[in-house]
Every structure is written in C-alpha cells, then in structure tokens.
Amino acid sequence: MLKKILLAAVVAISFSKSSQAEPDENIIQLMNDAPTMLDFGIFRLERFLNSAGETSYSRVTYSWDNNRIIVSNRFFDGHTIKEAEAMQKCKLWINAMRELAGINLDTGQLQSWKTSSEFTRFFQHIGNVEREHADHDADEQELDRRFHLTYVVADVVNAAEENYSLNCETPLFGTDFAVSY
C-alpha cells in the first residue's frame, strides 16, 4: 500500500513540475497589436472571394498611393493565349466580381434595392452591420468608391507574335474596364 502511495506521489510531483513556456517579445507584440477594421475587412473579403467558386486565388490589398482597396487576380496557365481570349477572361472575371458585389451588369450601378455593395459589409464590425446613424449610408458609399478591380492575363500573344501581359483595371462601379499592356 505504501508503495502505491509513494508511486502516486512521485507521479503527481513530476506532473506538477512540468515547465511552462511563456511568449517571447515578438509574440507579446503580436498579442498586443490589434488588427484594424481595414485589416480585418481585407481578410474577410479575400476569404469570401476565394470561397465563392473562383478557381484561382483572388487577393485583396490596400494601396496607400491611390487610397484604394484593390481586388486582384491573375491568369496564367503556362500557355500563350490570343488577345481576344485574354480580353474575354478579363471581362468574365470583372463581371463576376461586380455580380458578387451586387452591381447590376447592365447599368454598372448597385442593384436597385441596395444602398452599398456587398463588399462593404466585410469592413463593418460584426454584430453592428446595421448601424443606425445619419451618415451610415454615406460612409458605406464612400467606402464603395475605394474598391478597384485589377486582373492580369499573362503570356498573351498578339498578331505580330509578341508576348506580353494584359492588365485590365476598373473601379467597382461601371460597365467597362481599361486595358494596358
């Protein structure tokens, strides 16, 4: 009996003396550095876009230089494609993003029942989506003006057999997009 008690005591002491690791300076800094709603909104929007059936990875970033929230994607499958096909890929992706945001593709504006795009909801506090103050709609509409879509199609070949990348850019609202090479 005494052996069993001593064995139990030794086991208890060995478990109670196990070392406890503490966070180092870098981890403590990360623990104390809260994300902003911009950071969190970018994370949430990117996660939504990449779970919305896209076969490639969409990225969301903020451009300090242009004060824009940029939603971007890139097409490259290892083969050269013709310019007309590249333009079609740009149009399809941009239209898909606009539809996800709640934009009417015919008018380039919000669906008639909406006051802001679906993208703005990812930048609001959880549980406070329907804030009630006079400037709420104006705040969301101002945020909507910050969204910019960018799609790059790599390895495009033109009629002269020259390779280049085709860049398609546009604000969230509208029906067209700008192309650069």
Side-chain angles (χ1 to χ4, degrees), residues 3-89:
K3 285 184 179 182
K4 288 182 181 179
I5 293 173
L6 285 173
L7 181 62
V10 169
V11 169
I13 290 171
S14 67
F15 280 120
S16 68
K17 296 217 177 217
S18 62
S19 63
Q20 298 277 331
E22 292 189 22
D24 64 14
E25 186 178 314
N26 291 334
I27 297 300
I28 290 171
Q29 182 180 355
L30 288 173
M31 293 167 85
N32 292 323
D33 191 15
T36 65
M37 284 310 297
L38 178 63
D39 298 327
F40 194 47
I42 286 171
F43 166 78
R44 290 168 59 194
L45 177 57
E46 191 170 280
R47 190 175 74 180
F48 166 74
L49 293 175
N50 291 315
S51 67
E54 279 290 308
T55 57
S56 60
Y57 180 73
S58 291
R59 189 161 179 235
V60 182
T61 57
Y62 176 74
S63 169
W64 287 89
D65 296 336
N66 302 321
N67 190 24
R68 291 180 178 163
I69 300 170
I70 299 173
V71 178
S72 63
N73 204 318
R74 179 179 174 89
F75 176 82
F76 177 70
D77 69 354
H79 301 91
T80 57
I81 63 173
K82 301 283 184 198
E83 187 172 354
E85 185 181 352
M87 293 290 279
Q88 185 63 22
K89 289 188 179 302

